[in-house]
Amino acid sequence: AQTVTQSQPEMSVQEAETVTLSCTYDTSESDYYLFWYKQPPSRQMILVIRQEAYKQQNATENRFSVNFQKAAKSFSLKISDSQLGDAAMYFCAYRSASSRGGSNYKLTFGKGTLLTVNP
Amino acid sequence: NAGVTQTPKFRVLKTGQSMTLLCAQDMNHEYMYWYRQDPGMGLRLIHYSVGEGTTAKGEVPDGYNVSRLKKQNFLLGLESAAPSQTSVYFCASSLLRKSNQPQHFGDGTRLSIL
């Protein structure tokens, strides 16, 4: 079974600075997808960024980028120019790309990292 | 666009009571999921469905039942609520054979069992 580990329960960053959230995962598969979700106090689960394992290029979405190291099974999220609205719980998630069975479409989540942004 | 809608948003139950959480999606998604979120645990899959009339167990299915009578609806039932089921419940949906597409989540239901 796949597991996702977020080793930082809490992180803080000054407004306008850069912060990196860590995520590692364990899998025996070669084809999969990785996601970062943001959960603000409103409780919504908002997709921040996704990465396909077969792509070597790191995904970017505006101020958000990832450092995907497939051999190391690492998938960190970098937030540049942090804003107060970035304060939230961030979840890393894994999804198999296998077409065998519906369970391979489920997401496996890490336990989350609570990000605080200081003005 | 409504996306994924969960009802109710909050509920307080007494131990032993039963209730049903409703999830509705208007995106014509095949796959639907129920997760629970507990402090320090992330989200864990309770049950999921790969299509109308089919359901399957996830990581933590005990004490819950589900039904998918219509493609757009996925119901989560608690037959005899226990305090250990106090949690925030999320429903999600996704497209079939589009595993690079994200799951779309509802806003969650906060359930307290006294």
Side-chain angles (χ1 to χ4, degrees):
Chain A
Q2 295 84 15
T3 59
V4 176
T5 302
Q6 293 179 249
S7 59
Q8 306 151 317
E10 297 183 21
M11 291 281 286
S12 64
V13 63
Q14 291 295 127
E15 196 175 2
E17 306 256 309
T18 296
V19 64
T20 299
L21 308 184
S22 300
C23 173
T24 58
Y25 56 94
D26 185 27
T27 183
S28 59
E29 298 178 327
S30 60
D31 198 11
Y32 49 86
Y33 302 94
L34 297 164
F35 303 86
W36 278 99
Y37 279 88
K38 169 185 177 181
Q39 187 180 42
S42 66
R43 209 169 62 198
Q44 289 179 294
M45 291 290 288
I46 302 165
L47 177 70
V48 175
I49 199 165
R50 80 187 83 169
Q51 174 80 43
E52 290 87 348
Y54 62 83
K55 290 187 178 179
Q56 292 186 336
Q57 186 173 7
N58 289 325
T60 62
E61 288 287 343
N62 300 314
R63 298 182 295 107
F64 298 88
S65 62
V66 298
N67 183 5
F68 174 49
Q69 302 289 328
K70 190 172 184 179
K73 297 180 182 176
S74 172
F75 182 60
S76 60
L77 174 70
K78 185 171 83 170
I79 306 174
S80 304
D81 186 25
S82 297
Q83 300 176 0
L84 295 177
D86 295 333
M89 182 72 84
Y90 286 82
F91 292 98
C92 178
Y94 170 102
R95 187 175 192 180
S96 171
S98 171
S99 60
R100 291 175 300 174
S103 65
N104 289 327
Y105 286 90
K106 74 178 182 73
L107 285 171
T108 300
F109 286 88
K111 294 183 178 181
T113 296
L114 181 62
L115 178 66
T116 302
V117 181
N118 301 311
Chain B
N1 290 336
V4 178
T5 303
Q6 291 182 232
T7 53
K9 296 192 184 306
F10 303 95
R11 185 73 183 269
V12 178
L13 291 178
K14 293 181 180 179
T15 298
Q17 287 185 315
S18 63
M19 80 159 296
T20 300
L21 306 184
L22 172 63
C23 176
Q25 53 95 3
D26 62 359
M27 296 172 285
N28 202 34
H29 285 172
E30 292 289 340
Y31 284 65
M32 296 188 75
Y33 313 80
W34 276 107
Y35 293 90
R36 61 177 288 174
Q37 182 180 21
D38 302 295
M41 296 295 293
L43 278 75
R44 294 180 293 169
L45 183 67
I46 304 171
H47 286 280
Y48 65 96
S49 169
V50 303
E52 182 179 324
T54 69
T55 62
K57 294 179 179 180
E59 301 172 62
V60 288
D62 294 343
Y64 304 96
N65 56 75
V66 288
S67 64
R68 183 103 181 264
L69 299 179
K70 294 183 179 180
K71 185 177 182 179
Q72 63 269 30
N73 295 337
F74 194 29
L75 279 63
L76 177 70
L78 286 72
E79 290 186 349
S80 180
S84 62
Q85 295 176 304
T86 294
S87 188
V88 179
Y89 292 86
F90 285 95
C91 177
S93 69
S94 64
L95 286 169
L96 177 66
R97 284 190 287 274
K98 292 284 187 180
S99 54
N100 67 328
Q101 295 298 308
Q103 290 184 8
H104 296 260
F105 286 83
D107 290 341
T109 296
R110 181 174 295 279
L111 185 61
S112 295
I113 316 296
L114 305 178

